[in-house]
Amino acid sequence: MTPPVDLAVVGAGPAGLAAAVRAAGLGLSVALLDAGERPGGQFHRYPAPGLRAARPEALHHGWRHFARRLRQLETGGVTYLPRHHVWTVARGDGCWLLHAVVGPDETPATVRARAVLLATGAYERQLPFPGWTLPGVVGAGGAQAMLKSGLVLPGRRVVVAGSGPLLLAVAASLAAAGARVPAVVEAADYRAYGRSLPAVLRTPAKLAEGARYGGGLLRRSTRLLTRHAVTAAHGTARVEAVTVTRLDDHWRPVPGTGRRVPCDALAVGHGLVPQLDLAVGLGCATRRTADDTHALVVDADQATTVPGIWAAGESCGIGGADLALTEGEIAADAVARTLHDVPADPRRHAALTRRRTRLRAFADAMAAAHRPGPGWADWLDDATEVCRCEEVTAGRVREAVAGYGAHDTRTVKLLTRAGMGWCQGRMCGQAVARLAGGEGAAAVESRPLSCPVPLRPLAQLPPEAEEFRA
Amino acid sequence: MSAPSLDAVIVGAGVVGAACAYYATRAGLSVAVVDRGPVAGGTTGAGEGNLLVSDKEPGPELELALLSTRLWRELAAALPPEDAVEYEPKGGLVLAPDETALTALRAFAAGQCAAGVEAREVDEHELAHLEPELTKGLAGGFHYPQDAQVQPARAAAALLRAARSRGALVRLGEEVTAVLTGPHGAVRGVRTPRGELHAPAVVNATGTWGGRLAALAGTRLPVLPRRGFVLVTEPLPPGLIRHKVYAADYIADVASDSAALQSSAVVEGTPAGPVLIGATRERVGFDRTLSTEALRRLAGQATALFPRLADVHAIRTYCGFRPYLPDHLPAIGPDPRVPGLHHACGHEGAGIGLAPATGLLVTAALTGDEPPVGAWPFRPERFDSRGPADDFSDPFDRPDGPPPSPGART
Ligand SMILES: Cc1cc2nc3c(=O)[nH]c(=O)nc-3n(C[C@H](O)[C@H](O)[C@H](O)COP(=O)(O)OP(=O)(O)OC[C@H]3O[C@@H](n4cnc5c(N)ncnc54)[C@H](O)[C@@H]3O)c2cc1C
Ligand SMILES: Cc1cc2nc3c(=O)[nH]c(=O)nc-3n(C[C@H](O)[C@H](O)[C@H](O)COP(=O)(O)OP(=O)(O)OC[C@H]3O[C@@H](n4cnc5c(N)ncnc54)[C@H](O)[C@@H]3O)c2cc1C
């Protein structure tokens, strides 16, 4: 059997890519595993080859640095393993075992490593509302990703809604690509940032970015409605209009304020949720974030609470690509120091740490501002489907709570099947938690299989006895 | 303000506590059910819902299982349809891979039939008819029409709801921190962070944690956890797998005393579509860390029985901790060491199946009626003769938490 690599990095987004390249540069043997076809994660996306898009960089900032890292990935001694979906990280004899399924054939692969860096990123949070399952309703981040990778628009007249700073970026990109964006509907109030103005002021790049989005939007006569939400989507074969309603401080719809806005697509998202399945499976401690999700607890070196497991990027809390990069670099330095006694460069370390502190403060301020108010569940009528995989309605969840003694997501799941389907509650978990009457965040979900795995590769795993002999 | 007087406090809202509450309230008793978590939040929520007679050798457990089989059928008819407990009398199919296994299985089944089990030998040809996707080349098997299925969490919730509609007080999210006793040592209620509940009887239906509750009452019951993993597949078309199907070596595993991992997958379809493959058996304390070895064996055995499953995805796996006692029988009935304390725990891998009969037995003890089956084999003090309590301390019974990481144990 080949010896284990020094470091296995899971996730080739900004954090994982930066960490892998940096660690290899410091002399470590590195494997970089990613479920995707190409490096870049959620942030850097390539146009599909057939489209011959001339300038993917137009929709990205930081493309130049990204391109540099890609070159280093090719030349710098990283074993890059695309299309490797890691379904669990297990304890082997003196090393970690990363079990993956590979490519469309889902063949099994196992990577052995002395240390693991989890850079698994985040996915978009969806809060249901009547009509959210209609064709033409897409995720806001998903619309952005579609634009970046395929340059396709979800519609010609696209309402952008939900909450979080990503909405403005999405609206700007849609508008720049030629869509009409009649409204950006933001449930929170950007004025809330005012409370943490110091954090914002120390992050001038963010302000400039905001101004750029704002300017782009204004020129194209988009209305920015804060403290409003899309509380219903209408249409038969596809979305034809949405109802936009004013919200009170708790995100409860204000009666009588709804009005219809015609559109042929709705891009909606409520921020991002850290992707923690592998880490939770390993027993890494998590913390509750200001916007009611969970993120990994890491120390100043990006080490998790499980010795030998590091983490960087959005799995440690949503904070944007720059923060992800910074954390990836810090983690790589720390792993090199731990495994190979590579001395830290104090100037570099101080600069990275300062940068991380500043970006994290800004991210936390934003998270607090965009935290979903408890009243959003009021816009769900009993017929609204909450769990799309298993077709469970809000009414059935409410009945399990009122009539059968459920008061948490697990029990609701057991009694109604909400969250038992293909996505394993990634889509509906937040909504179910709210309907189950829990205050704020659901408990951290444990998903020992981080993705579906065919039985064949499971049956072909090396028998444990052999593993121990090896 | 004084609460209406209670006949009994039932601790535990798993399927066993719920069944006790169901039958006790049906007999006109006034009870409270207290659980530190939600309904079915313990092992019941991790169980599979097999109601099996096929895996039980003649003896007291089989007697209990046969009674329960009848009671579950009655319950399925009596509970309102909206409870949707997913009762399915689908029957079991026990397979013998070779002639040796078949000979053993024949002898086993003959003994069961003498004890009242319905079992019928089926040849390879009929196997293919009963389960078209089954692998070819098996020596034969037995069909057990009495084996059935419920959805455990829904069943527990339904029983509890029925009990509540008959006046049971249900207090969820409240941990019992003390069992109250009077001057002569008799039980007089329980304490929770919300206050005291007074009753002349306390029923210990705390499953795997039954030993801890017994200790709160000043006595002992050597209940230990036995971990099991289950694999759940993506939804498949109905009718692909029609029975509870398992290989004959399962029966040996159930009665085993070994601490090592054992498994013999029971494979079955569910009304919602996913196929359940379970479960492994091992004694590792309360450790929830995923065992890839457990998954390897479950997947290997399931695909050996049903080759078509090889390309099917597992979308979920979970584990639970069966409450087991050293002789693999539950503790049911009054505890002579602590007057007023009743036990209803330690059902190991059969608690869903045995819950109704347990509820009836406990109710009979509370009302002083004649028990429906002999309760002597289940008497809770039966372990006393074996020596001091320390003899039952288990090296694997360590508190929750993952094992050390590889780096920490070089
Ligand atoms: C849909 C979406 C759209 C976004 N759009 C924008 C935008 O327009 N502008 C902006 O500034 N920010 C955007 N963001 C945020 C931005 O993408 C993140 O800030 C940044 O990508 C974080 O980097 P990361 O390295 O932490 O994670 P990611 O970039 O999310 O990378 C994580 C990588 O890990 C891989 N992975 C996860 N689990 C496994 C596993 N088990 N096995 C193998 N691989 C795995 C994923 O495939 C992914 O490639 C968007 C985020 C999302 C989710
Ligand atoms: C993987 C697996 C598969 C299984 N498959 C089957 C099967 O197919 N068929 C079958 O019949 N059985 C099966 N079982 C076994 C079955 O699940 C158990 O025997 C049964 O659920 C036990 O039920 P219970 O009510 O005794 O315990 P539990 O469901 O664990 O209930 C005990 C309750 O007591 C509560 N509690 C504990 N201490 C306190 C306290 N101090 N105060 C308040 N509340 C407290 C707990 O919160 C818990 O809710 C399986 C088990 C496992 C793990």
Side-chain angles (χ1 to χ4, degrees):
Chain A
M1 200 178 292
T2 52
V5 293
D6 289 327
L7 176 65
V9 178
V10 186
L17 190 56
V21 166
R22 172 79 188 162
L26 293 171
L28 272 63
S29 57
V30 179
L32 173 60
L33 299 89
D34 192 282
E37 196 76 32
R38 328 204 38 183
Q42 297 282 8
F43 188 71
H44 298 289
R45 288 174 178 277
Y46 303 75
L51 287 170
R52 286 196 287 130
R55 297 173 56 245
E57 60 273 28
L59 288 173
H60 292 86
H61 69 270
W63 187 267
R64 205 160 40 82
H65 293 295
F66 173 56
R68 175 176 58 78
R69 287 203 175 84
L70 285 188
R71 282 194 302 278
Q72 288 171 329
L73 186 62
E74 278 159 22
T75 57
V78 175
T79 307
Y80 169 52
L81 302 170
R83 295 183 300 274
H84 277 58
H85 206 142
V86 179
W87 56 267
T88 193
V89 179
R91 293 168 161 80
D93 197 14
C95 68
W96 300 101
L97 304 173
L98 292 89
H99 295 295
V101 281
V102 185
D105 298 334
E106 301 176 293
T107 50
T110 298
V111 169
R112 289 145 38 87
R114 294 175 63 199
V116 175
L117 174 70
L118 299 174
T120 48
Y123 57 93
E124 204 164 18
R125 167 159 57 192
Q126 296 297 348
L127 301 180
F129 51 87
W132 74 304
T133 54
L134 277 173
V137 179
V138 299
Q144 177 81 332
M146 267 161 68
L147 263 184
K148 283 181 178 178
S149 56
L151 303 178
V152 272
L153 283 166
R156 278 184 314 234
R157 200 180 147 82
V158 190
V159 171
V160 176
S163 191
L166 191 58
L167 297 188
L168 293 175
V170 172
S173 303
L174 289 170
R180 263 185 58 84
V181 180
V184 173
V185 185
E186 163 63 60
D189 189 345
Y190 292 113
R191 276 176 309 175
Y193 293 52
R195 272 186 246 127
S196 48
L197 211 55
V200 181
L201 289 179
R202 269 183 271 117
T203 313
K206 291 280 167 190
L207 284 182
E209 224 172 273
R212 208 169 63 228
Y213 294 142
L217 291 173
L218 278 180
R219 266 200 311 282
R220 292 183 173 82
S221 68
T222 293
R223 292 203 55 183
L224 175 60
L225 295 163
T226 57
R227 306 185 60 173
H228 279 72
V230 166
T231 51
H234 314 281
T236 42
R238 97 176 248 121
V239 59
E240 288 157 15
V242 295
T243 296
V244 175
T245 308
R246 209 167 82 222
L247 302 180
D248 70 10
D249 286 348
H250 302 290
W251 288 33
R252 265 190 303 259
V254 177
T257 61
R259 64 197 135 122
R260 256 173 114 95
V261 177
C263 61
D264 61 4
L266 168 66
V268 60
H270 290 86
L272 304 176
V273 183
Q275 170 75 59
L276 303 180
D277 299 337
L278 296 176
V280 169
L282 282 161
C284 300
T286 58
R287 64 186 172 89
R288 189 165 158 173
T289 64
D291 60 346
D292 276 352
T293 66
H294 297 273
L296 293 177
V297 172
V298 286
D299 68 8
D301 283 339
Q302 299 295 132
T304 70
T305 53
V306 173
I309 306 287
W310 277 261
E314 310 235 270
S315 47
C316 308
I318 304 309
D322 289 347
L323 179 58
L325 280 174
T326 309
E327 292 182 351
E329 302 251 328
I330 292 173
D333 288 353
V335 174
R337 207 168 56 243
T338 307
L339 294 188
H340 285 193
D341 283 330
V342 178
D345 168 350
R347 296 246 315 270
R348 175 186 147 86
H349 184 70
L352 283 172
T353 306
R354 262 198 317 277
R355 194 174 160 74
R356 179 179 59 188
T357 307
R358 178 165 48 77
L359 292 169
R360 174 61 64 207
F362 181 73
D364 288 347
M366 282 199 310
H370 292 286
R371 171 178 181 225
W376 69 262
D378 287 12
W379 66 58
L380 297 178
D381 57 41
D382 276 351
T384 310
E385 220 167 68
V386 171
C387 166
R388 300 171 76 153
C389 303
E390 295 288 329
E391 301 175 359
V392 180
T393 60
R396 279 194 37 223
V397 174
R398 286 174 172 141
E399 184 200 352
V401 173
Y404 291 89
H407 52 65
D408 62 345
T409 39
R410 176 179 185 254
T411 315
V412 169
K413 173 165 90 180
L414 286 169
L415 297 182
T416 66
R417 302 193 57 77
M420 278 201 189
W422 190 261
C423 89
Q424 289 293 295
R426 288 178 180 87
M427 284 277 257
C428 62
Q430 290 262 334
V432 170
R434 165 57 49 205
L435 291 174
E439 270 305 309
V444 191
E445 286 255 8
S446 148
R447 299 185 188 95
L449 301 180
S450 89
C451 65
V453 190
L455 296 189
R456 190 193 316 278
L458 290 181
Q460 290 171 353
L461 283 166
E464 193 132 277
E466 253 175 63
E467 188 56 58
F468 286 133
R469 252 184 278 123
Chain B
M1 194 187 77
S2 82
S5 76
L6 293 168
D7 295 309
V9 175
I10 297 166
V11 190
V15 69
V16 174
C20 289
Y22 180 89
Y23 287 105
T25 53
R26 203 183 65 168
L29 298 178
S30 155
V31 303
V33 179
V34 188
D35 198 296
R36 62 184 174 202
V39 61
T43 311
T44 298
E48 281 180 280
N50 294 316
L51 315 176
L52 300 187
V53 295
S54 57
D55 65 339
K56 296 181 179 63
E57 61 188 3
E61 196 190 4
L62 180 59
E63 226 183 304
L64 213 55
L66 283 167
L67 172 58
S68 267
T69 299
R70 214 182 64 225
L71 294 173
W72 272 120
R73 203 180 316 124
E74 284 171 23
L75 286 170
L79 293 167
E82 69 267 23
D83 283 351
V85 298
E86 298 181 8
Y87 175 77
E88 282 188 292
K90 57 163 72 163
L93 209 52
V94 183
L95 305 170
D98 51 38
E99 283 303 325
T100 321
L102 188 57
T103 311
L105 188 55
R106 273 191 197 120
F108 188 73
Q112 290 176 313
C113 289
V117 172
E118 294 167 39
R120 188 173 56 84
E121 181 164 351
V122 285
D123 62 13
E124 199 193 350
H125 178 73
E126 198 183 345
L127 278 181
H129 177 71
L130 290 171
E131 285 293 346
E133 294 291 335
L134 197 62
T135 189
K136 303 289 175 271
L138 297 163
F142 272 75
H143 180 231
Y144 288 85
Q146 288 158 314
D147 283 355
Q149 162 78 25
V150 287
Q151 207 274 35
R154 291 209 62 98
L159 291 170
L160 197 62
R161 189 165 96 130
R164 183 189 270 166
S165 74
R166 290 195 292 248
L169 186 64
V170 177
R171 306 247 298 234
L172 302 175
E174 240 181 283
E175 173 150 12
V176 169
T177 53
V179 175
L180 309 170
T181 47
H184 302 293
V187 154
R188 53 177 197 89
V190 300
R191 185 179 303 130
T192 80
R194 271 181 59 196
E196 295 186 351
L197 281 166
H198 294 148
V202 170
V203 179
N204 174 11
T206 59
T208 314
W209 301 274
R212 294 181 195 174
L213 196 93
L216 287 183
T219 186
R220 64 210 152 108
L221 197 64
V223 187
L224 294 171
R226 199 176 192 191
R227 183 170 74 176
F229 275 98
V230 178
L231 261 181
V232 185
T233 73
E234 62 191 301
L236 298 177
L240 200 70
I241 294 171
R242 302 170 182 182
H243 301 80
K244 300 179 168 293
V245 183
Y246 63 95
D249 54 344
Y250 174 81
I251 298 159
D253 282 356
V254 173
S256 165
D257 281 319
S258 161
L261 173 68
Q262 301 159 24
S263 64
S264 168
V266 179
V267 184
E268 66 174 312
T270 59
V275 168
L276 300 186
I277 304 165
T280 51
R281 294 171 178 267
E282 56 186 328
R283 282 166 41 189
V284 290
F286 286 104
D287 178 5
R288 287 193 178 275
T289 316
L290 178 68
S291 159
T292 48
E293 177 63 12
L295 302 191
R296 185 184 74 81
R297 295 196 192 180
L298 291 174
Q301 290 167 357
T303 53
L305 292 179
F306 293 97
R308 217 178 119 175
L309 291 179
D311 295 316
V312 168
H313 292 85
I315 60 171
R316 195 154 66 87
T317 177
Y318 58 84
C319 74
F321 301 95
R322 302 179 188 84
Y324 88 95
L325 284 160
D327 60 1
H328 304 285
L329 290 179
I332 307 173
D335 190 327
R337 301 163 298 181
V338 183
L341 179 66
H342 295 247
H343 298 283
C345 59
H347 295 75
E348 195 160 342
I352 317 294
L354 303 179
T358 303
L360 263 191
L361 274 181
V362 167
T363 301
L366 290 172
T367 56
D369 287 338
E370 189 64 28
V373 293
W376 173 253
F378 312 117
R379 68 197 185 284
E381 74 281 16
R382 65 186 188 272
F383 305 103
D384 272 359
S385 56
R386 296 201 194 167
D390 317 75
D391 284 359
F392 299 114
S393 68
D394 186 296
F396 295 99
D397 188 16
R398 54 187 151 84
D400 293 355
S405 53
R409 61 164 151 96
T410 37

